[in-house]
Amino acid sequence: EDGVTINGYPQFQFNKGDKVICQARSVHLDQEIYGADAAVFKPERFLDSGIVTEGGSRKPFLPFGGGVSQCEGRHYAAKGSKFVLALFLLHFDIKLDPAYEHAKSGTALLDKTRIGTGIMHPTKPTHILVSKRK
């Protein structure tokens, strides 16, 4: 085929062999999708209730890009987070607060509804004490 026109708009005419990329930030700032305040920092707009349109379809949300254009710093950030956690565990003692009544045990204590995020959160607050190691 010689090329393609998307949605009939002449500015979206692509020839055979053209490479097409999506700049995620421009998608997130689209006022037709996210409203007149699209450039305002409102993280709640990306909660499940905020990214579903009135018709039930999901709004586009690409926080770290995709494919070969994923965030280049994601691996560096993950390693940095692990390094900070290791230093924290090396220099501090962490224990459950004995003055607080904690849940006893078992997997029922973990919220399994958000398991896809890679972290299972407790179903009720957990009070801990952190002290610097001597």
Side-chain angles (χ1 to χ4, degrees):
E1 202 174 308
D2 293 333
V4 66
T5 300
I6 298 177
N7 290 336
Y9 295 107
Q11 66 265 33
F12 295 125
Q13 171 74 37
F14 299 101
N15 297 318
K16 185 176 181 178
D18 285 351
K19 295 185 191 256
V20 179
I21 62 168
C22 173
Q23 182 187 15
R25 180 150 172 81
S26 65
V27 172
H28 297 158
L29 295 175
D30 190 334
Q31 293 183 0
E32 288 185 26
I33 297 171
Y34 291 107
D37 65 347
V40 176
F41 179 71
K42 287 175 55 179
E44 64 273 10
R45 81 171 81 231
F46 298 110
L47 295 174
D48 283 341
S49 61
I51 60 173
V52 178
T53 65
E54 290 179 17
S57 62
R58 295 180 69 82
K59 295 179 183 176
F61 179 55
L62 309 164
F64 299 104
V68 296
S69 64
Q70 283 185 334
C71 174
E72 294 178 7
R74 69 190 185 283
H75 299 298
Y76 180 74
K79 288 181 194 248
S81 298
K82 291 175 187 175
F83 181 72
V84 169
L85 177 61
L87 284 175
F88 183 82
L89 295 174
L90 182 66
H91 293 285
F92 293 92
D93 287 319
I94 305 167
K95 64 181 181 179
L96 292 174
D97 183 356
Y100 179 74
E101 184 179 333
H102 296 278
K104 300 301 177 213
S105 66
T107 57
L109 305 174
L110 300 174
D111 178 6
K112 294 181 181 175
T113 62
R114 296 173 22 183
I115 196 166
T117 61
I119 299 173
M120 290 195 301
H121 301 270
T123 55
K124 64 182 247 179
T126 303
H127 293 211
I128 61 171
L129 298 174
V130 178
S131 59
K132 186 159 176 53
R133 289 199 176 163
K134 296 176 173 108

